[in-house]
Amino acid sequence: MPLPTSSSASHRECLQRWYSTAAGQAMRVALQSHLDRFVPQLFGYHALQIGHLAPDHDLLAASRIGHRVHMECEPGHGDLSALADALPILTDSMDLVVLVHCLEQVEDPYQVLRETDRILVPEGHVLIVGFNPLSLAGLRRMMPGCSGSLGVPWSGQCHATGRVRDWLALLGFEVRARAYAGFRPPEGRSGFKARLQVVECLGGRYLPYLGAGYVILARKRVANVMPLRTRWRPSRRMVPGGLASPFCRRTDRD
């Protein structure tokens, strides 16, 4: 089984350290609150969580699914070690899959969604946790001189919810809900942060799309296959012009 590249492994390590900071802990609490709203509504027998927000932090604590498996890319971590784009799991075997920043750590995020689609049962669900590049901090990295100073998580590859939704639609998923979290102003000069404090207070209610993190809930749809009815065709005529009408010829003899 191929091992993760050094760049992806280092990004995961930096991401774990970021989640231990004050900003990361606030983000983790906000994301967990959304997961706690979605997870109890999802039923089934088997759930798979790929990645985590912090060690020993159970994202599926509110789940009613009994059998839950935690997978990590690094050997020796989690219940299972594998790559998110090549899952060693049977097809149509999972009722719920949780992708924690998985799309941001691979070269082909669409392949991760394809693998998720493969292992999900019909009408199964996927929860995707990611960073929003259209948030205040995400947009700030486009400013001159700021792209290299923000660091993790904004130094990695982030995907907007619109793009993820398009990928899911191509695979036949139905996006049931989107939730945003983390409206803290990005780190920077005190004057810049003071001007954006109002966004932290009002962002969740009036500007949800500016949240730094998001959770997407989608369901795997399966098209209903209608059985084809037998089309009865009239029998071919055996005699050109139609069948001959029955008749009786009688001959009277003296």
Side-chain angles (χ1 to χ4, degrees):
M1 180 179 301
L3 296 177
T5 60
S6 58
S7 59
S8 61
S10 60
H11 183 269
R12 281 189 291 270
E13 294 176 357
C14 295
L15 189 61
Q16 293 177 9
R17 289 195 295 268
W18 180 83
Y19 268 112
S20 63
T21 63
Q25 292 176 3
M27 174 69 74
R28 185 178 63 193
V29 172
L31 291 174
Q32 186 65 56
S33 65
H34 292 309
L35 292 173
D36 290 341
R37 290 193 298 112
F38 297 148
V39 167
Q41 306 174 19
L42 309 178
F43 302 93
Y45 298 97
H46 308 285
L48 173 66
Q49 174 186 329
I50 306 178
H52 64 276
L53 297 179
D56 301 328
H57 180 75
D58 188 7
L59 295 176
L60 298 177
S63 175
R64 301 183 183 184
I65 300 178
H67 182 227
R68 302 195 293 266
V69 179
H70 178 203
M71 196 194 90
E72 292 289 344
C73 296
E74 299 89 349
H77 295 79
D79 304 318
L80 177 67
S81 298
L83 297 179
D85 54 0
L87 299 174
I89 298 176
L90 294 176
T91 301
D92 298 337
S93 60
M94 289 292 165
D95 300 280
L96 172 63
V97 176
V98 184
L99 303 177
V100 186
H101 299 302
C102 293
L103 304 184
E104 304 157 6
Q105 301 174 6
V106 295
E107 296 182 359
D108 188 0
Y110 185 70
Q111 176 60 26
V112 177
L113 295 179
R114 290 183 61 184
E115 279 291 275
T116 302
D117 174 62
R118 180 185 64 82
I119 67 174
L120 274 177
V121 299
E123 304 299 323
H125 291 83
V126 58
L127 282 166
I128 302 175
V129 178
F131 289 112
N132 181 19
L134 301 181
S135 63
L136 293 176
L139 293 175
R140 190 188 175 202
R141 63 178 179 173
M142 301 180 183
M143 299 173 59
C146 294
S147 58
S149 61
L150 293 177
V152 175
W154 309 112
S155 59
Q157 184 179 12
C158 303
H159 307 286
T161 56
R163 174 172 294 183
V164 178
R165 181 183 57 189
D166 292 340
W167 289 337
L168 292 171
L170 290 175
L171 293 171
F173 280 85
E174 174 192 5
V175 176
R176 300 186 59 189
R178 284 182 297 175
Y180 294 84
F183 299 94
R184 295 183 51 154
E187 301 297 331
R189 294 173 296 180
S190 58
F192 182 76
K193 294 176 60 177
R195 289 193 297 268
L196 294 178
Q197 285 295 334
V198 65
V199 177
E200 182 176 4
C201 300
L202 303 178
R205 178 174 299 182
Y206 301 106
L207 299 171
Y209 298 104
L210 295 181
Y214 62 80
V215 178
I216 297 178
L217 172 62
R219 177 174 58 188
K220 177 181 177 179
R221 296 183 301 180
V222 178
N224 294 328
V225 180
M226 298 296 294
L228 297 178
R229 295 183 179 180
T230 303
R231 182 178 179 182
W232 296 102
R233 297 181 178 179
S235 59
R236 296 182 179 179
R237 297 178 178 180
M238 300 178 61
V239 179
L243 295 177
S245 301
F247 67 94
C248 178
R249 175 176 296 179
R250 179 180 178 180
T251 303
D252 294 334
R253 295 181 179 178
D254 294 338

